Amino acid sequence: MIPILDSAAGWLQETVLYPLLYALDLMQWEDVSFGWALFAVYGLVQVIVTFAVCLPLERWRPVETWPDQRAVLVDVLYTLISRVGLLPLITFVLFYKLQVALDGFLTDHGWVPPTLERIFPFLLGMPVLTFFLYAVILDFSDYWRHRLSHVFNWWYSLHAVHHAQRQMTFWSDDRNHLLDDIIGFIWFTAVALLIGIPPMQFPLLVLLLRFLESLSHANTRLSFGWLGERLLISPRFHRAHHGVTAAGLDSVNYGAIFPWWDMLFRTADFSAEYVQTGDPTAEEALATGSYAAQQWVALRRMVRDIFGRGGKEERKKAVLF
Amino acid sequence: MRSPILLLALTLLLPAQARAAGAVLVMNSSAASLSVVDMATQKEIRRIPVLREPHHWTMEPDGAALLVGDTVGNEILFLDPVTFELKRRLPISDPYQLGFSPDRKYLVVNGIARNQIDVYDAKTYTLVKRFPASTMPSHLDFTPDGGTVFVTLQGTGKVTAIDLRKMEVIWTAPTGKAPAGVMLQNGKLLVANMGEDNVSILDPATGKLLGRITTGKGAHQLFRSPDGKLIYVNNRIDSTSVALDATTLAAKRTYKLPGGPDDMEFAPDGHIWFTMRFAHKLAVLDPATGTFTTIDVGRSPHGIFLNPKAVASK
Ligand SMILES: [Zn+2]
Ligand SMILES: [Zn+2]
């Protein structure tokens, strides 16, 4: 599997990316461009694998069936933008520049950025264990990013895009406001700097984790059993986070990969129900609007929150009536 | 009753050992590893894990240690040049291309991501001076007396010359788009312009542009053959290696090498070993016939070090 994907990335670089960089007078970036090629190829495979596994699951044991599934289409667009095309490129450029600037600043002040492997040298020959440790730390930091996005009004206004979907499927994982995504990258970069995360060293394992995140949004009656539910996050577990009663500032099950942080900080809900999803307090445009409408309405709501013009009140009213 | 099998195994192993003719170390820049390749069997024998992104190497002046730079990992690895055993790890900011001055006084390290040219004391590895470089300092070469180092600035299309005695910049001059390889040859400075299809010829004293030789799109790296008679230019877009006459700089032969030829090394048997960045392989070229074989290594192989005396043991 890995050699095939790497070859595909190499092919993309040689036949598409390099001639493009050459034509655009950007050849100085040739070394960095391979990372993007890898990102795009593995992203595409991610989408295909997710599709091949989750679609049959959703057909086999759906939680809900909808006569009209148009609201799902925009999530497909979110997924493609986020995993294959534009976003990997932006992330890559942004991440690279930010990391170099911060790394450089720190090293100039006599502080070499640490890495897990430098602290624990035995990890160097153990890529899977190393990756697992990085994944645990990252998942922990992501738990808090997600939880905080439910604490601050302005932040939840952006995150409401993710929650507004009433027809939640495996496509819904990437349904995020662009600004929310950018905050996520900055958050990730800060943690990456602290523990020296190698972004593209383990592309296949990253693919696996992203697959789990997509699966957790699938519209399917799938639970991992008593023990499994406490090891990895299942569709049932994450559905509780998307429940109509859990939307907004007071939610449950904030985790993405491991449920441990929810268990540790007492936000876990292991009840066996498959709840209805959506955010009744959100404007209708956030649920059924176009990509552009969702982006715009959420941004407007955030601005109103920051400048104190009624965002919170509007939402409360919507709950009452 | 296991001895006959053991004997058989031994006889199978013996010829391979007898043929052992050195080993090659490959820096897999996108796989965070170094591949050790046996030259006789042309097979990857093992991988040495490193922190993040190994790109290039240089040899200590007395040959005691091979230095491999890990840019993103911010460290230099000191390896035994024969066994490739890791002897020491030294934290150093963004070591991309690196080289010792011929007078053995300094180690110059280009930080391509951090826009800095760092001069270290070659004995103590303490930083003597940092030159901010605008931008992306890439490859380097020295004058034979070690008094001057030339560095290409990939981001701004320039070359800079630094006086290592006075520790100051002598000149900075334009050469072409995205310059990479640089080499002082017969009193002229040759610079491969990767964003173009040519090598420019500069006056090393002033940086004045004297002329250009067309070699192929994406002209990337320059290598001198062991006998000093040829200069090879590897072109990344055209995927070719062009052999120039070292004296006249006239193109003598072009080798087509699909897969992105980058760095190269010369084997005693006359073959040339290339890293192929896109194909994730090595190519072993017979320059007499133009035919080549390939060897699988890790993702995006960049630097390559060949030692006929090295041992590719597990
Ligand atoms: Zn949420
Ligand atoms: Zn979700």
Side-chain angles (χ1 to χ4, degrees):
Chain A
M1 178 96 163
I2 292 177
I4 299 171
L5 297 185
D6 289 350
S7 301
W11 176 87
L12 183 72
Q13 197 187 16
E14 182 168 20
T15 53
V16 181
L17 225 50
Y18 255 61
L20 200 68
L21 290 176
Y22 189 80
L24 297 175
D25 282 349
L26 290 169
M27 273 306 276
Q28 63 268 32
W29 296 104
E30 49 102 27
D31 232 12
V32 184
S33 71
F34 183 65
W36 182 78
L38 264 187
F39 225 111
V41 166
Y42 278 83
L44 185 66
V45 174
Q46 235 172 57
V47 173
I48 293 167
V49 169
T50 307
F51 188 79
V53 175
C54 291
L55 196 75
L57 272 176
E58 289 193 345
R59 291 276 155 85
W60 179 42
R61 303 186 63 185
V63 178
E64 303 174 84
T65 44
W66 311 291
D68 173 11
Q69 299 191 27
R70 243 178 309 169
V72 174
L73 277 179
V74 71
D75 289 2
V76 177
L77 180 66
Y78 271 108
T79 304
L80 292 177
I81 291 176
S82 146
R83 299 219 177 168
V84 188
L86 199 64
L87 228 52
L89 189 66
I90 296 171
T91 324
F92 206 81
V93 172
L94 200 77
F95 183 84
Y96 179 81
K97 292 229 165 191
L98 214 64
Q99 191 181 25
V100 164
L102 285 168
D103 264 9
F105 176 81
L106 293 175
T107 312
D108 282 351
H109 289 77
W111 195 69
V112 175
T115 60
L116 273 189
E117 298 99 311
R118 209 179 259 139
I119 302 167
F120 307 108
F122 71 92
L123 287 173
L124 261 176
M126 310 172 97
V128 175
L129 179 65
T130 308
F131 177 80
F132 176 74
L133 289 181
Y134 276 121
V136 169
I137 295 170
L138 264 192
D139 193 57
F140 172 76
S141 95
D142 205 54
Y143 169 87
W144 281 106
R145 182 197 56 78
H146 186 192
R147 191 159 165 189
L148 290 177
S149 76
H150 280 260
V151 166
F152 299 104
N153 271 309
W154 64 268
W155 200 347
Y156 183 74
S157 290
L158 299 176
H159 185 50
V161 172
H162 186 67
H163 280 270
Q165 178 60 281
R166 293 187 294 267
Q167 301 191 356
M168 191 174 83
T169 64
F170 64 89
W171 295 108
S172 305
D173 183 38
D174 291 304
R175 181 192 173 91
N176 291 307
H177 196 277
L178 267 177
L179 202 57
D180 203 12
D181 273 337
I182 291 171
I183 296 171
F185 294 146
I186 294 171
W187 190 277
F188 172 82
T189 306
V191 178
L193 264 176
L194 278 175
I195 58 169
I197 288 165
M200 285 317 288
Q201 219 157 298
F202 314 104
L204 198 66
L205 291 166
V206 171
L207 189 150
L208 186 77
L209 293 188
R210 302 287 329 249
F211 165 76
L212 276 174
E213 285 179 22
S214 290
L215 177 72
S216 72
H217 289 87
N219 170 31
T220 184
R221 288 181 186 276
L222 181 64
S223 150
F224 296 162
W226 189 92
L227 183 65
E229 288 277 294
R230 280 155 182 82
L231 293 177
L232 277 179
I233 284 170
S234 71
R236 190 218 55 77
F237 188 90
H238 193 61
R239 175 166 280 264
H241 176 69
H242 278 264
V244 278
T245 51
L249 302 187
D250 204 13
S251 190
V252 293
N253 298 2
Y254 296 97
I257 305 287
F258 307 114
W260 314 333
W261 323 119
D262 282 300
M263 291 158 73
L264 191 65
F265 301 111
R266 304 188 176 281
T267 50
D269 175 358
F270 285 107
S271 61
E273 279 171 85
Y274 287 89
V275 294
Q276 278 244 309
T277 68
D279 181 355
T281 70
E283 291 87 334
E284 186 55 27
L286 292 187
T288 51
S290 65
Y291 179 88
Q294 294 181 7
Q295 295 289 314
W296 165 244
V297 169
L299 189 70
R300 191 180 61 191
R301 189 167 142 179
M302 183 198 78
V303 171
R304 279 181 188 163
D305 275 331
I306 290 174
F307 296 102
R309 278 199 288 121
K312 198 172 179 180
E313 284 69 29
E314 262 172 46
R315 234 174 284 149
K316 276 200 184 123
K317 245 182 273 166
V319 178
L320 285 174
F321 296 106
Chain B
M1 287 304 109
R2 259 177 288 158
S3 51
I5 299 166
L6 207 79
L7 267 175
L8 181 70
L10 275 176
T11 47
L12 284 174
L13 278 171
L14 275 172
Q17 294 230 321
R19 274 189 287 132
V24 165
L25 188 76
V26 181
M27 283 122 250
N28 300 314
S29 63
S30 286
S33 64
L34 312 173
S35 292
V36 178
V37 177
D38 179 47
M39 286 176 65
T41 57
Q42 299 205 348
K43 286 255 160 26
E44 182 179 352
I45 301 296
R46 64 187 171 110
R47 265 186 209 188
I48 303 167
V50 304
L51 262 182
R52 299 289 176 258
E53 251 188 68
H55 282 281
H56 295 285
W57 61 269
T58 191
M59 183 71 90
E60 272 187 333
D62 58 4
L66 178 73
L67 278 63
V68 174
D70 181 340
T71 53
V72 182
N74 296 299
E75 67 178 11
I76 290 182
L77 305 167
F78 291 66
L79 305 173
D80 183 304
V82 174
T83 62
F84 301 137
E85 183 200 344
L86 181 62
K87 300 193 331 185
R88 180 184 175 193
R89 304 168 64 172
L90 181 70
I92 273 192
S93 170
D94 191 20
Y96 186 64
Q97 289 269 10
L98 57 168
F100 287 93
S101 58
D103 60 3
R104 301 183 167 205
K105 276 193 183 145
Y106 301 112
L107 170 69
V108 178
V109 177
N110 289 342
I112 191 169
R114 292 186 187 156
N115 302 322
Q116 64 200 21
I117 301 164
D118 288 341
V119 182
Y120 291 88
D121 183 290
K123 300 238 156 44
T124 60
Y125 295 112
T126 48
L127 186 63
V128 176
K129 177 142 183 174
R130 166 166 296 171
F131 294 89
S134 177
T135 60
M136 302 175 89
S138 181
H139 295 58
L140 54 89
D141 199 12
F142 296 90
T143 49
D145 66 352
T148 306
V149 62
F150 303 97
V151 177
T152 47
L153 302 172
Q154 208 166 291
T156 42
K158 293 175 184 161
V159 181
T160 190
I162 295 172
D163 185 328
L164 292 174
R165 304 265 147 78
K166 296 182 190 151
M167 286 295 161
E168 60 184 36
V169 174
I170 308 167
W171 54 259
T172 303
T175 166
K177 292 171 190 165
V182 56
M183 178 190 277
L184 194 62
Q185 171 67 15
N186 283 347
K188 301 278 189 308
L189 198 64
L190 306 180
V191 182
N193 299 310
M194 190 171 41
E196 301 177 12
D197 60 358
N198 59 67
V199 170
S200 41
I201 305 165
L202 307 183
D203 178 348
T206 61
K208 188 175 180 286
L209 182 69
L210 305 173
R212 287 176 194 279
I213 324 148
T214 304
T215 57
K217 283 184 190 164
H220 180 72
Q221 237 317 18
L222 301 152
F223 295 90
R224 191 180 285 115
S225 65
D227 62 8
K229 287 185 180 152
L230 296 169
I231 306 280
Y232 286 87
V233 183
N234 295 340
N235 306 300
R236 301 291 293 283
I237 299 286
D238 282 354
S239 264
T240 53
S241 184
V242 177
L244 308 176
D245 184 292
T247 318
T248 64
L249 298 179
K252 296 188 75 171
R253 185 156 180 186
T254 298
Y255 302 97
K256 183 80 186 160
L257 294 160
D262 201 320
D263 282 356
M264 61 197 268
E265 280 275 78
F266 300 89
D269 65 0
H271 286 68
I272 307 175
W273 292 57
F274 292 84
T275 48
M276 311 297 273
R277 289 302 285 280
F278 313 132
H280 317 309
K281 288 178 197 300
L282 300 181
V284 183
L285 173 80
D286 181 349
T289 62
T291 56
F292 63 92
T293 53
T294 62
I295 305 162
D296 287 338
V297 287
R299 266 198 301 274
S300 209
H302 197 176
I304 177 169
F305 167 75
L306 181 150
N307 185 357
K309 293 197 180 76
V311 197
S313 61
K314 291 243 179 217

